[in-house]
Structures are given as structure tokens and as C-alpha cells.
Amino acid sequence: AYGGDIDDSLIRSIIIALTKRTRSVDGIPTSLSDLGYSRLGIDDGWQACDAGGAGNSYHAEDGTPLVNHTRFDSLVDVVKLGHENGLLMDFYQINCICMDTYVLSKNRTWANLAWRGNVKQLRDAGFDGIKLDNCGDDDGLGYATMMDEIKRTGKPMLVENCNQAHGHGPPRGLPTNSSGWCDMHMYRTGGDIRSNFDDTMRKLQTTIPFQDVNSPISRPGCWAFPDMLEVGNFGSTDLGRVESKSHFFAWCIVSSPLFLSFDVTDDATVDQVWYIISNREAISINQEWARHPGRLVLTDSQGQIWTK
């Protein structure tokens, strides 16, 4: 919803929006967090572009990732506020905005310092999860180094492998079987989703390879993720309320993680989609594991049938 235009004030307002109980479900005051939308991700735009080593990186020479302090005075404080309000706080690294991965890759010593510095930043701020993008990390070295450092330095954290479905297997490709390597909690099965109904349905199809009837690759702790929900992003004329409902229920059926991507501080938009995103039956179907994530069972010229 914000396209990299984020700051401390916005994140604090989102914390309030996720936790306020100004709407109801079945007559009970209910917040978005109460419904399960209880993770808040600070995405791209937090970094101080070109402030680091070599003049075109946001990493200092010692590997420290540099925060744009005109936007965020203290990541520690905003994470603490989220925790105080019962939220889990997630972060974003291997950034696309002012991407410096290719700069780092020219000096492997500096690159290793930077990847480890990223994890130190996560730990020091108290984040609970991380979205690792693939911006310039063509060989997966950044991802692999950070994953090793996460495992070495403390408690587990939620990991989204945002590799746009490139490659298979280690170090950061897609998992290939139902019981083998899966070095992430969720993995993108396609490229970035767009705010139109056709593209949401295209992204849904990318989950099919992970839904084998007897041995599904998508499973607890290793979820196929067709990208964030576009419900509430009404900028496209063909993603209206009816299409948004189909989109939401489809994500529920295939056990996709449910990440809202519209501006939840916009009360008018939340009101428009509340009946969709507060559907407890659909959410319970999404959360239920019955030895299968859900799958496509029929497709013909009239449409498709998915089941869970």
C-alpha cells in the first residue's frame, strides 16, 4: 500500500489500526489482530540509501546496515510498541530500493560482514520475523549466510523466502519434496502480485506444483505462498468486492499465509472489506491442517474448483 514510503509515524498508526476494537464480529468488539492479522512487517524504505561504504551502499564498512533516521528514529522503540500491543514485528532485508547487493558482492569480506550485520540488526531491535528479498542475491549467498547466522545467534524467527520462485533446492530455491530440505517457513511461488483479478488467479496457479494429493510439499513450517492479499486495493476496476472475496477464499483454501496489503489506517476501506477479512469460517479453513494444504480438483472452460 505504501510503495516504500514508510516511516515511524506510519508504523505506529498501523499498530493502532491493527489493535483497535471499533468493529464487531458476531456482536463482539474485534480487532484485526484478534482475527489473526497480528504480524506487522516493516518493508522496503527503512534504509539510508548511499550512506555507507563505497558511497553507493546502505551498509557501513563494518557491515552495519544504516537506517534512515529521518524516517525511523529508533527501530527498537517501534518494535517495542508493537510488542506492547500484542503484535509480532517483522522486517525486510536484501532490499530492492537502492539495492547494494551487487556492490557488496565485489568484496566478499564486506558482503559477509553485511549479511551478518543484517542479522545483528534484527536481533538488536527485537524483530520476530524477516522477509528476505532476492534483489541482487543471484547466487543465494546473502540468504544462506543470513540463515546460518539466524540459526547461530538466538531464538528462531519466521522467515519468508521472497525469491520470486527462482531455482530449486539450496541455497534459496523452492523446496522439491514433501519431507526434504525447506530452509524457510514460507516461500514465494511466483513473482510480485498485481492488484487485478487476473493476476491474483495467475498467482493462485503457481501453488499447484506444491499440492500433490499424497505428498504435498506445502505443509506446516514450509508453506507455499502466492504473495500478499490484494483485498482492499481497489485501484483496478476488475478487483471489486466480488472478485476480492473470491481471491480471499482461494488463499484460504490453499493454506496461504494471509497478509493484508492495503492501507489498514484507512477506515473507509477497512469497512468495505471487513465482511471478507473478518470471515472466521474462512480463516479457520485457512488455519486447519488435515494432512493437506488444499488443491485444485477440476478445471475446464467454465472455471476451476479448489478444495480443502
Side-chain angles (χ1 to χ4, degrees):
Y2 310 109
D5 188 15
I6 60 172
D7 59 22
D8 184 276
S9 176
L10 175 64
I11 300 303
R12 290 172 181 270
S13 69
I14 294 172
I15 291 172
I16 294 171
L18 289 175
T19 56
K20 66 182 182 181
R21 295 188 175 99
T22 55
R23 299 173 182 84
S24 297
V25 176
D26 298 328
I28 300 171
T30 303
S31 68
L32 286 167
S33 178
D34 293 334
L35 291 165
Y37 306 104
S38 55
R39 304 194 77 100
L40 195 168
I42 298 176
D43 210 274
D44 211 350
W46 57 262
Q47 66 274 33
C49 293
D50 301 334
N56 54 357
S57 170
Y58 58 88
H59 286 90
E61 292 182 1
D62 66 355
T64 302
L66 302 174
V67 176
N68 183 343
H69 288 296
T70 66
R71 292 190 171 198
F72 290 93
D73 183 52
S74 170
L75 290 175
V76 173
D77 288 348
V78 75
V79 170
K80 181 181 178 183
L81 180 64
H83 287 165
E84 288 173 347
N85 282 272
L87 301 178
L88 295 170
M89 299 294 291
D90 299 337
F91 204 46
Y92 171 94
Q93 289 173 334
I94 311 186
N95 304 41
C96 284
I97 295 175
C98 61
M99 178 177 64
D100 71 351
T101 314
Y102 291 131
V103 176
L104 296 174
S105 67
K106 295 176 182 178
N107 182 334
R108 286 305 173 98
T109 299
W110 185 26
N112 284 330
L113 288 172
W115 306 136
R116 292 184 168 87
N118 286 350
V119 176
K120 185 177 187 301
Q121 180 189 50
L122 295 175
R123 297 299 189 195
D124 289 349
F127 284 106
D128 305 289
I130 180 66
K131 172 184 174 181
L132 293 176
D133 215 329
N134 68 343
C135 303
D137 190 31
D138 300 337
D139 58 6
L141 178 64
Y143 178 89
T145 304
M146 287 187 63
M147 289 300 297
D148 288 344
E149 193 72 358
I150 287 171
K151 294 170 186 175
R152 187 186 71 82
T153 56
K155 69 177 183 178
M157 61 171 54
L158 185 79
V159 175
E160 176 192 342
N161 181 1
C162 185
N163 198 34
Q164 315 283 334
H166 296 306
H168 294 85
R172 69 168 305 175
L174 294 167
T176 58
N177 64 70
S178 61
S179 58
W181 176 87
C182 187
D183 201 18
M184 70 289 287
H185 297 97
M186 54 182 160
Y187 45 92
R188 287 274 297 277
T189 55
D192 290 344
I193 198 168
R194 296 290 180 260
S195 223
N196 62 74
F197 187 62
D198 284 347
D199 197 56
T200 63
M201 293 300 101
R202 281 193 292 269
K203 293 301 185 293
L204 177 64
Q205 311 308 306
T206 66
T207 66
I208 294 173
F210 307 94
Q211 298 163 353
D212 181 82
V213 175
N214 298 312
S215 300
I217 297 171
S218 183
R219 59 194 190 270
C222 184
W223 296 114
F225 180 37
D227 206 354
M228 58 193 172
L229 289 162
E230 291 300 314
V231 176
N233 292 323
F234 293 128
S236 173
T237 57
D238 68 348
L239 191 64
R241 293 174 58 161
V242 172
E243 292 82 5
S244 293
K245 184 158 59 170
S246 297
H247 165 35
F248 181 80
F249 291 166
W251 261 232
C252 289
I253 288 171
V254 299
S255 302
S256 170
L258 302 178
F259 284 90
L260 302 175
S261 68
F262 70 93
D263 183 1
V264 295
T265 69
D266 183 340
D267 284 331
T269 301
V270 178
D271 288 342
Q272 287 186 71
V273 299
W274 182 254
Y275 78 106
I276 299 173
I277 62 177
S278 68
N279 188 311
R280 288 194 180 275
E281 183 177 4
I283 294 170
S284 67
I285 290 170
N286 172 260
Q287 297 292 298
E288 182 68 25
W289 174 250
R291 295 183 292 179
H292 202 279
R295 62 188 177 91
L296 175 69
V297 293
L298 175 66
T299 184
D300 61 24
S301 61
Q302 301 301 309
Q304 293 183 328
I305 296 175
W306 295 72
T307 188
K308 183 177 182 182

